[in-house]
Amino acid sequence: MAAALPDVRGRDRVTGWVRGTPRFTGPVRGRLTNGMTFELADCRDGSARDLVELCYRPPALAAVFDTILRPGDCCYDVGANIGVYTLWAAGAVGRAGEVHAFEPVPEPRAVLVALTVRNGLSQVRPTAWAVGAVAGTVGLRRHPGASGLTHQVPAGDAAELTVPTTTLDMHAARHRPPDLIKIDVEGFELEVLLGATELLRARRPAVLLEMLPSHLARRGGRAQGELVGVLAAAGYRLFNLTRRGLAGQGEFSANVLALHPDWARFGPVVVALRRTPFPRNQTT
């Protein structure tokens, strides 16, 4: 690890943000709550702001990673962005584990790679491929003011960037299969699951899935039901992440955790997370 870095709390580069727009730009560096260090040449994007804030608090879903992952495990971070959860998962799985970070957009992936190198995380495998239902290509559109820099483009819309796609079934056939999959792809989570049906059936990994209504709305009224249907067909149970802990009932929260009852860690994970409160904002 690098030597202690300056405390950036209270400076304009941290506090000078209004609705995602900074009043100050410039280099920023610090240490995350799990000991990982970072240094960014410019603090313009909302994701960079979120990373700086993590000097003082863990990411909202850290407890899921800490509860599920063990040293030596494998995690797939689908939609890794600049690597907030990639770094957290890397700490959980340790040097004997693996974290496969899927981020097809060059700018956030460059930050992710830099953070990986800075912290000497040989267990992290960054990949430039997007993940979908089939192999091929997909169009992306950049949204610099968002916490995620990029959204996939629905069929027929103009794209700013075209990237290759793989499926999780194909990736797992060539690499270590995951114990936990985190999926945050701006409303295209269904495509990722459709490309992972064999993995879900055969390996039964835990699935941490974003289900923001605003993102699902872009896909039409059936998107949520289709997501639930794919997981139910594979035998999974869905749990909400609430401010009172894991819950098996109620309106879906911003992120849900899908677990298979026959998974060896099902009982201990459910018991532990039932007592774990999750912040209202689960996107950081």
Side-chain angles (χ1 to χ4, degrees):
M1 292 296 181
L5 297 171
D7 185 358
V8 295
R9 178 165 34 193
R11 300 184 184 180
D12 285 344
R13 61 172 61 108
V14 178
T15 60
W17 290 75
V18 178
R19 296 180 181 176
T21 302
R23 292 183 301 203
F24 174 86
T25 59
V28 61
R29 55 183 178 170
R31 187 182 301 278
L32 306 184
T33 55
N34 67 344
M36 304 293 180
T37 65
F38 68 90
E39 183 168 0
L40 300 174
D42 205 354
C43 187
R44 293 180 181 272
D45 171 64
S47 297
R49 173 204 58 194
D50 293 340
L51 187 60
V52 172
E53 291 176 350
L54 295 175
C55 291
Y56 318 113
R57 58 178 175 82
L61 302 174
V64 174
F65 293 81
D66 292 342
T67 302
I68 291 176
L69 293 175
R70 301 173 179 176
D73 276 354
C74 182
C75 177
Y76 287 3
D77 188 354
V78 182
N81 201 266
I82 64 172
V84 168
Y85 283 111
T86 294
L87 264 64
W88 200 269
V93 303
R95 301 293 179 184
E98 293 182 9
V99 181
H100 297 238
F102 298 86
E103 181 47 63
V105 184
E107 294 87 350
R109 188 175 66 253
V111 176
L112 185 155
V113 171
L115 292 173
T116 299
V117 172
R118 179 181 181 86
N119 290 281
L121 300 177
S122 59
Q123 65 267 50
V124 174
R125 275 70 164 161
T127 174
W129 290 62
V131 179
V134 296
T137 60
V138 67
L140 304 176
R141 181 183 298 123
R142 291 178 173 87
H143 290 265
S147 60
L149 286 173
T150 309
H151 300 301
Q152 290 191 32
V153 178
D157 287 6
E160 297 179 26
L161 184 68
T162 300
V163 300
T165 61
T166 187
T167 71
L168 290 186
D169 281 342
M170 294 174 61
H171 188 83
R174 300 189 298 267
H175 303 278
R176 279 184 62 177
D179 299 281
L180 170 65
I181 306 171
K182 176 225 126 188
I183 308 173
D184 179 358
V185 287
E186 308 293 344
F188 285 79
E189 288 76 15
L190 176 61
E191 281 75 6
V192 176
L193 289 180
L194 289 174
T197 53
E198 179 59 24
L199 176 61
L200 297 177
R201 184 195 64 79
R203 303 293 304 194
R204 300 168 180 167
V207 180
L208 179 58
L209 182 71
E210 185 177 70
M211 288 182 63
L212 284 175
S214 58
H215 291 166
L216 293 174
R218 294 198 296 264
R219 310 304 314 283
R222 296 181 298 175
Q224 188 176 88
E226 291 173 339
L227 276 171
V228 174
V230 171
L231 290 165
Y236 278 75
R237 289 181 56 189
L238 270 66
F239 296 89
N240 292 321
L241 306 179
T242 77
R243 284 176 285 178
R244 296 184 177 181
L246 202 68
Q249 296 179 335
E251 184 177 351
F252 285 122
S253 50
N255 291 272
V256 299
L257 181 62
L259 303 173
H260 199 289
D262 293 335
W263 179 49
R265 304 180 196 176
F266 178 87
V269 166
V270 171
V271 169
L273 292 179
R274 273 181 176 161
R275 301 190 299 265
T276 303
F278 290 89
R280 185 171 185 177
N281 177 10
Q282 298 173 13
T283 60
T284 301

